[in-house]
Amino acid sequence: MSKAKIQTLIETIELTQNLAVYYISLMKEVDPKKVFSSEGKDLNSLYWLVGHLAWAENMLVLQGTQGKGAEFPWLDSFKLGEPHQIDENISFGELKAGAKELHKAALAHLNTLSDEDLLKPNTIGFGFGQEPTNQVVLMHFIRHLGMHIGHLSWLCKLHGVKSV
């Protein structure tokens, strides 16, 4: 049972996740619920992005690859297509702690997979123009996370936080 491909994907997920966590950590003194606007369009807050990234990891990595999804009651508030809302009953600390716990569960699950498992159909049927395999859904998770890292870097600038 080969694990070279899955290990490369895990390492890429970890490297990418570490960059997201780095940008989030730079903004520890800002209001995570602050919403900036550009040309009349509201941008996502740090609060919303952290919740959304947790939702995406749960849906794409855990549920998408036959893992057991997390049971946080707030996750669906951040799913694709949901409006940007701040739930005053869920602190930013709770979101970050939940996201961290979810990420650990995702890594533990991914470490149970083999390269052969990457070729199996993912459970959510997402193929993004290709066969809907576990590998494709994991690669999409990586690019989705990377896209939102760009948003996190912009939030640093907008909050006046030096990031480089």
Side-chain angles (χ1 to χ4, degrees):
M1 173 168 64
S2 176
K3 291 188 71 89
K5 269 186 162 181
I6 188 66
Q7 286 304 313
T8 298
L9 288 171
I10 291 169
E11 289 172 22
T12 305
I13 288 170
E14 269 298 84
L15 199 63
T16 309
Q17 179 75 8
N18 289 344
L19 186 57
V21 169
Y22 168 71
Y23 278 114
I24 292 165
S25 75
L26 291 176
M27 293 185 274
K28 62 182 167 268
E29 301 298 324
V30 307
D31 175 3
K33 297 176 181 179
K34 181 170 177 54
V35 175
F36 291 93
S37 294
S38 176
E39 299 192 12
K41 296 196 177 12
D42 287 343
L43 305 176
N44 292 320
S45 66
L46 177 58
Y47 177 94
W48 192 88
L49 281 171
V50 168
H52 177 68
L53 290 174
W55 169 81
E57 188 162 23
N58 186 59
M59 197 263 296
L60 295 169
V61 176
L62 285 171
Q63 294 172 338
T65 62
Q66 296 83 27
K68 182 181 181 321
E71 303 273 333
F72 297 110
W74 47 261
L75 272 177
D76 279 347
S77 301
F78 300 97
K79 68 183 179 183
L80 185 66
E82 285 297 304
H84 182 287
Q85 294 180 340
I86 304 294
D87 186 338
E88 296 301 332
N89 296 314
I90 305 165
S91 73
F92 186 54
E94 286 177 85
L95 283 183
K96 289 193 303 184
K100 186 175 183 177
E101 182 181 324
L102 201 151
H103 182 65
K104 285 181 184 178
L107 290 179
H109 167 64
L110 289 176
N111 276 297
T112 69
L113 300 180
S114 68
D115 288 354
E116 292 76 21
D117 291 323
L118 292 174
L119 302 175
K120 293 178 181 174
N122 64 59
T123 59
I124 54 179
F126 289 3
F128 309 99
Q130 302 176 56
E131 284 294 312
T133 64
N134 288 330
Q135 179 172 310
V136 167
V137 82
L138 291 175
M139 291 173 74
H140 176 69
F141 172 72
I142 293 165
R143 69 183 178 181
H144 176 265
L145 181 55
M147 178 195 64
H148 284 301
I149 288 171
H151 297 153
L152 291 168
S153 74
W154 281 19
L155 281 176
C156 282
K157 288 186 185 298
L158 292 168
H159 279 288
V161 173
K162 186 169 175 57
S163 62
V164 184

